[in-house]
């Protein structure tokens, strides 16, 4: 059973017919996308992401173009949910299992602006810039640590892991960006 948040209750309208797409991801997260046509003829999409217990993690709704088919809107909503999850889930390098960094961007207004519709090329460019800035920050932190006279072994291993993950993230994003 899903525990709906405020965004769902603001969006819901029982008089309008809707179409639903639902997914359960491997980690237990549930994705629900609903599309409907408003009275004015505008296609509207609701995107909800819920944890394995049904609690709302993210709920949002969007007005799409007038006359857009609901199938297209459902596909867009599913892609939007994947992007939201990719932006908020920890990065995992595809070539080796490891513990990873949290997302580079933590400022909510910045994340919201990044989630706006943009081309794949623009999205990859932003991810590339984020990966580069994270790499520079990790490198600077490691260099400062190397300049100190005494270093705790746990702090050293944490900084070393951060730098290695920043390098992995940068390489992975660059490969996608250059293709």
């Amino acid at each position: 059973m899903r525990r709906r948040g405020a965004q769902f209750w603001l969006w819901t309208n029982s008089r309008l017919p809707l179409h639903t797409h639902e997914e359960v991801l491997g980690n237990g997260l549930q994705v629900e996308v609903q599309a409907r046509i408003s009275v004015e003829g505008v296609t509207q999409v609701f995107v909800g992401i819920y944890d394995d217990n049904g609690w709302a993690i993210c709920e949002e709704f969007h007005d799409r173009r007038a006359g857009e088919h609901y199938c297209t809107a459902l596909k867009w909503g599913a892609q939007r949910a994947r992007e939201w999850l990719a932006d908020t889930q920890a990065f995992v390098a595809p070539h080796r299992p490891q513990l990873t960094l949290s997302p580079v961007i933590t400022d909510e207004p910045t994340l919201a602006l990044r989630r706006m519709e943009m081309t794949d090329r623009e999205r990859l460019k932003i991810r590339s810039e984020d990966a580069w800035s994270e790499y520079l920050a990790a490198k600077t932190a490691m260099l400062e640590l190397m300049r100190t006279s005494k270093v705790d072994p746990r702090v050293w291993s944490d900084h070393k892991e951060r730098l290695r993950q920043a390098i992995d993230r940068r390489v992975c994003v660059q490969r996608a960006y250059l293709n």
Side-chain angles (χ1 to χ4, degrees):
M1 179 174 175
R2 294 202 176 110
R3 291 158 181 93
R4 305 292 189 172
Q7 292 295 317
F8 176 80
W9 297 112
L10 288 171
W11 185 80
T12 193
N13 184 342
S14 59
R15 288 183 264 161
L16 296 175
L18 57 91
H19 303 276
T20 304
H21 169 79
E22 294 184 359
E23 291 179 53
V24 177
L25 306 177
N27 58 3
L29 293 178
Q30 304 167 24
V31 174
E32 177 184 29
V33 180
Q34 296 180 1
R36 68 180 183 203
I37 309 296
S38 72
V39 177
E40 296 84 23
V42 175
T43 304
Q44 298 174 324
V45 179
F46 170 80
V47 179
I49 302 172
Y50 304 90
D51 67 11
D52 52 355
N53 295 323
W55 288 100
I57 297 173
C58 171
E59 291 182 334
E60 58 188 28
F61 56 90
H62 303 273
D63 287 342
R64 301 286 294 160
R65 295 180 287 278
E68 182 178 36
H69 196 268
Y70 74 89
C71 290
T72 307
L74 286 174
K75 286 179 187 176
W76 179 87
Q79 180 63 31
R80 174 73 191 99
R82 285 186 207 95
E83 289 172 2
W84 189 90
L85 287 169
D87 287 346
T88 59
Q89 299 297 310
F91 173 77
V92 177
H95 59 283
R96 75 177 141 197
Q98 59 185 328
L99 298 174
T100 60
L101 299 169
S102 61
V104 176
I105 301 172
T106 56
D107 182 42
E108 280 301 318
T110 305
L111 280 174
L113 289 173
R114 296 283 172 93
R115 291 183 191 131
M116 292 173 54
E117 287 185 59
M118 59 181 75
T119 66
D120 288 337
R121 193 80 175 154
E122 291 171 325
R123 193 172 294 110
L124 282 171
K125 183 177 180 186
I126 288 172
R127 286 187 180 150
S128 176
E129 291 168 356
D130 291 344
W132 177 250
S133 62
E134 172 58 23
Y135 165 72
L136 291 177
K139 183 178 85 169
T140 303
M142 188 61 146
L143 287 173
E144 283 183 27
L145 194 65
M146 292 170 76
R147 290 184 184 115
T148 60
S149 59
K150 194 170 190 181
V151 178
D152 181 22
R154 273 195 255 153
V155 172
W156 177 263
S157 65
D158 289 346
H159 278 67
K160 181 179 169 185
E161 185 65 21
R162 178 183 177 197
L163 181 59
R164 184 167 37 147
Q165 290 178 16
I167 292 169
D168 287 346
R169 183 185 310 220
R170 172 109 171 101
V171 168
C172 183
V173 171
Q174 278 302 107
R175 283 184 183 152
Y177 182 67
L178 294 174
N179 287 336

